[in-house]
Amino acid sequence: MIVEAVNFRPESFPPASCNRLSLHIPDTADVPLLLLNGSRPGKTLVVTAGVHGDEYEGVRAILEVVQELSPQTMSGRLIAVPVANPPAFWQGMRTSPVDGQNMARIMPGSSTGTFSERIAFTLAHNVIDFADFYLDLHSGGITYRMPSMVGYSTTDPRSTAAAAIFGASILWGHEQIAPGRTISYAASKGIPWLYTEARGAGRIHPQDLEMMKSGIYNLLRHLGILPGAPPSAAIQWRLQGEGDTDAGVTATKTGFLLHKVHLLQTVQKGQLLGTLVSPTGELLEEYRAEKAGIVGMVHEFPIVQPGDSLFLLADRDL
Ligand SMILES: [Zn+2]
């Protein structure tokens, strides 16, 4: 069923219903949306995936959870957007093939802006605005390798409490979030949030799918939308620090990346993280840790362009 995005009102759909919709944005795109209205009133969880088009774990997690859920057992509502950036998704690209923009850097967009900005505007005002709690499912995509983790705000107790029950074994707390992200928009509206990361590589690892699915179920229980309490989670790692993948150690040349460290390795200040070489093996650049920390992100795709963020270091907090 196609709905004009500006006219989407979740409460106009009947109780105890599962609705498979397309939000129509004029002259732009149709964004798929799944709406589950419970049989009783309650809170609204909004979940998005595919903000980056090359990250597929969250897409499948949403489709499977929606297939499994029975709206009759729900008090409240689940609004899920499995593919938030359809052109990027169909091309298997992180950014939009239409205008090259990164949807996670331009929120909340503009109704009169670029193609991507118009989608961002709809996600913000016609989807996220309905949330009592917001979850954005990401992974490393084709380019990066990320820990399978949940990210949260250390300054919002609602976000911190939700991270503790999500079920991920790695938690990454952020004091600040760069502007333009879906979660920074949610925060600006006073909506508590979480996001995930996972292995990526254009594949769906079964453990990452399970982490995201159980995370959605645990959040639904935590918010009272599903009955019962989430099981206690076994947390192995707590990381802290900036989580902006664009803000890591950055390449200034084109080349072939030789990694010298692996994800979640502890490194010392000055330690060699990787080298960039030419196709004949000549050294082009060296990358060293600007501080001691934990390797929280790796540019796993070995082809590197100038400006690419290659390694991101986190602080351990345990
Ligand atoms: Zn992403």
PDB file of all heavy atoms in Angstrom, residues 51-52 54-55 94 104 137-141 196-197, ligand 1:
ATOM      1  N   VAL A  51      20.293   2.668   6.084  1.00  0.00           N
ATOM      2  CA  VAL A  51      20.658   4.087   5.914  1.00  0.00           C
ATOM      3  C   VAL A  51      21.913   4.161   5.041  1.00  0.00           C
ATOM      4  O   VAL A  51      22.040   5.038   4.188  1.00  0.00           O
ATOM      5  CB  VAL A  51      20.879   4.753   7.300  1.00  0.00           C
ATOM      6  CG1 VAL A  51      21.547   6.099   7.150  1.00  0.00           C
ATOM      7  CG2 VAL A  51      19.556   4.884   8.048  1.00  0.00           C
ATOM      8  N   HIS A  52      22.820   3.217   5.267  1.00  0.00           N
ATOM      9  CA  HIS A  52      23.915   2.954   4.323  1.00  0.00           C
ATOM     10  C   HIS A  52      23.513   1.737   3.495  1.00  0.00           C
ATOM     11  O   HIS A  52      23.176   0.685   4.051  1.00  0.00           O
ATOM     12  CB  HIS A  52      25.227   2.689   5.069  1.00  0.00           C
ATOM     13  CG  HIS A  52      25.762   3.917   5.754  1.00  0.00           C
ATOM     14  ND1 HIS A  52      26.188   3.908   7.060  1.00  0.00           N
ATOM     15  CD2 HIS A  52      25.909   5.188   5.290  1.00  0.00           C
ATOM     16  CE1 HIS A  52      26.593   5.142   7.372  1.00  0.00           C
ATOM     17  NE2 HIS A  52      26.435   5.926   6.319  1.00  0.00           N
ATOM     18  N   ASP A  54      24.925  -0.543   1.790  1.00  0.00           N
ATOM     19  CA  ASP A  54      25.716  -1.785   1.700  1.00  0.00           C
ATOM     20  C   ASP A  54      25.758  -2.531   3.033  1.00  0.00           C
ATOM     21  O   ASP A  54      26.653  -3.342   3.261  1.00  0.00           O
ATOM     22  CB  ASP A  54      27.134  -1.483   1.208  1.00  0.00           C
ATOM     23  CG  ASP A  54      27.902  -0.569   2.156  1.00  0.00           C
ATOM     24  OD1 ASP A  54      27.273   0.035   3.051  1.00  0.00           O
ATOM     25  OD2 ASP A  54      29.131  -0.463   1.994  1.00  0.00           O
ATOM     26  N   GLU A  55      24.775  -2.272   3.899  1.00  0.00           N
ATOM     27  CA  GLU A  55      24.730  -2.917   5.217  1.00  0.00           C
ATOM     28  C   GLU A  55      23.417  -3.704   5.313  1.00  0.00           C
ATOM     29  O   GLU A  55      22.348  -3.110   5.371  1.00  0.00           O
ATOM     30  CB  GLU A  55      24.822  -1.851   6.314  1.00  0.00           C
ATOM     31  CG  GLU A  55      26.089  -1.005   6.174  1.00  0.00           C
ATOM     32  CD  GLU A  55      26.108   0.218   7.095  1.00  0.00           C
ATOM     33  OE1 GLU A  55      25.166   0.398   7.882  1.00  0.00           O
ATOM     34  OE2 GLU A  55      27.076   0.982   6.999  1.00  0.00           O
ATOM     35  N   ARG A  94      27.388   2.377  -0.041  1.00  0.00           N
ATOM     36  CA  ARG A  94      27.229   3.080   1.234  1.00  0.00           C
ATOM     37  C   ARG A  94      26.488   4.408   1.041  1.00  0.00           C
ATOM     38  O   ARG A  94      25.587   4.749   1.804  1.00  0.00           O
ATOM     39  CB  ARG A  94      28.621   3.346   1.825  1.00  0.00           C
ATOM     40  CG  ARG A  94      28.642   4.155   3.113  1.00  0.00           C
ATOM     41  CD  ARG A  94      30.081   4.244   3.629  1.00  0.00           C
ATOM     42  NE  ARG A  94      30.235   5.113   4.781  1.00  0.00           N
ATOM     43  CZ  ARG A  94      29.985   4.747   6.048  1.00  0.00           C
ATOM     44  NH1 ARG A  94      29.558   3.532   6.319  1.00  0.00           N
ATOM     45  NH2 ARG A  94      30.176   5.591   7.041  1.00  0.00           N
ATOM     46  N   ALA A 104      23.784   9.343   6.543  1.00  0.00           N
ATOM     47  CA  ALA A 104      24.048   9.460   7.976  1.00  0.00           C
ATOM     48  C   ALA A 104      24.878  10.701   8.301  1.00  0.00           C
ATOM     49  O   ALA A 104      25.443  10.794   9.388  1.00  0.00           O
ATOM     50  CB  ALA A 104      24.744   8.206   8.485  1.00  0.00           C
ATOM     51  N   LEU A 137      20.032   0.435  12.780  1.00  0.00           N
ATOM     52  CA  LEU A 137      20.861  -0.762  12.588  1.00  0.00           C
ATOM     53  C   LEU A 137      21.884  -0.510  11.476  1.00  0.00           C
ATOM     54  O   LEU A 137      21.525  -0.331  10.314  1.00  0.00           O
ATOM     55  CB  LEU A 137      19.976  -1.961  12.237  1.00  0.00           C
ATOM     56  CG  LEU A 137      18.925  -2.310  13.300  1.00  0.00           C
ATOM     57  CD1 LEU A 137      17.943  -3.345  12.752  1.00  0.00           C
ATOM     58  CD2 LEU A 137      19.598  -2.834  14.572  1.00  0.00           C
ATOM     59  N   HIS A 138      23.158  -0.506  11.870  1.00  0.00           N
ATOM     60  CA  HIS A 138      24.265  -0.350  10.913  1.00  0.00           C
ATOM     61  C   HIS A 138      25.195  -1.542  11.019  1.00  0.00           C
ATOM     62  O   HIS A 138      25.098  -2.350  11.934  1.00  0.00           O
ATOM     63  CB  HIS A 138      25.080   0.917  11.231  1.00  0.00           C
ATOM     64  CG  HIS A 138      24.402   2.192  10.838  1.00  0.00           C
ATOM     65  ND1 HIS A 138      24.754   2.903   9.723  1.00  0.00           N
ATOM     66  CD2 HIS A 138      23.389   2.865  11.425  1.00  0.00           C
ATOM     67  CE1 HIS A 138      23.997   3.980   9.629  1.00  0.00           C
ATOM     68  NE2 HIS A 138      23.150   3.982  10.641  1.00  0.00           N
ATOM     69  N   SER A 139      26.150  -1.623  10.059  1.00  0.00           N
ATOM     70  CA  SER A 139      27.255  -2.575  10.168  1.00  0.00           C
ATOM     71  C   SER A 139      28.440  -1.995   9.413  1.00  0.00           C
ATOM     72  O   SER A 139      28.397  -0.845   8.964  1.00  0.00           O
ATOM     73  CB  SER A 139      26.857  -3.942   9.596  1.00  0.00           C
ATOM     74  OG  SER A 139      26.908  -3.920   8.178  1.00  0.00           O
ATOM     75  N   GLY A 140      29.490  -2.777   9.267  1.00  0.00           N
ATOM     76  CA  GLY A 140      30.681  -2.256   8.612  1.00  0.00           C
ATOM     77  C   GLY A 140      30.520  -2.038   7.118  1.00  0.00           C
ATOM     78  O   GLY A 140      31.352  -1.368   6.493  1.00  0.00           O
ATOM     79  N   GLY A 141      29.468  -2.625   6.527  1.00  0.00           N
ATOM     80  CA  GLY A 141      29.302  -2.484   5.079  1.00  0.00           C
ATOM     81  C   GLY A 141      30.454  -3.115   4.319  1.00  0.00           C
ATOM     82  O   GLY A 141      31.221  -3.923   4.851  1.00  0.00           O
ATOM     83  N   THR A 196      23.506   0.018  16.142  1.00  0.00           N
ATOM     84  CA  THR A 196      24.375  -1.158  16.147  1.00  0.00           C
ATOM     85  C   THR A 196      25.459  -1.002  15.092  1.00  0.00           C
ATOM     86  O   THR A 196      25.340  -0.224  14.142  1.00  0.00           O
ATOM     87  CB  THR A 196      23.620  -2.456  15.799  1.00  0.00           C
ATOM     88  OG1 THR A 196      23.150  -2.358  14.448  1.00  0.00           O
ATOM     89  CG2 THR A 196      22.465  -2.704  16.739  1.00  0.00           C
ATOM     90  N   GLU A 197      26.500  -1.779  15.276  1.00  0.00           N
ATOM     91  CA  GLU A 197      27.482  -2.058  14.231  1.00  0.00           C
ATOM     92  C   GLU A 197      27.671  -3.570  14.194  1.00  0.00           C
ATOM     93  O   GLU A 197      27.256  -4.274  15.117  1.00  0.00           O
ATOM     94  CB  GLU A 197      28.815  -1.351  14.500  1.00  0.00           C
ATOM     95  CG  GLU A 197      28.746   0.161  14.424  1.00  0.00           C
ATOM     96  CD  GLU A 197      28.539   0.689  13.003  1.00  0.00           C
ATOM     97  OE1 GLU A 197      28.584  -0.123  12.048  1.00  0.00           O
ATOM     98  OE2 GLU A 197      28.318   1.897  12.852  1.00  0.00           O
TER      99      GLU A 197
HETATM  100 ZN    ZN B   1      26.348   2.464   8.449  1.00  0.00          ZN
END
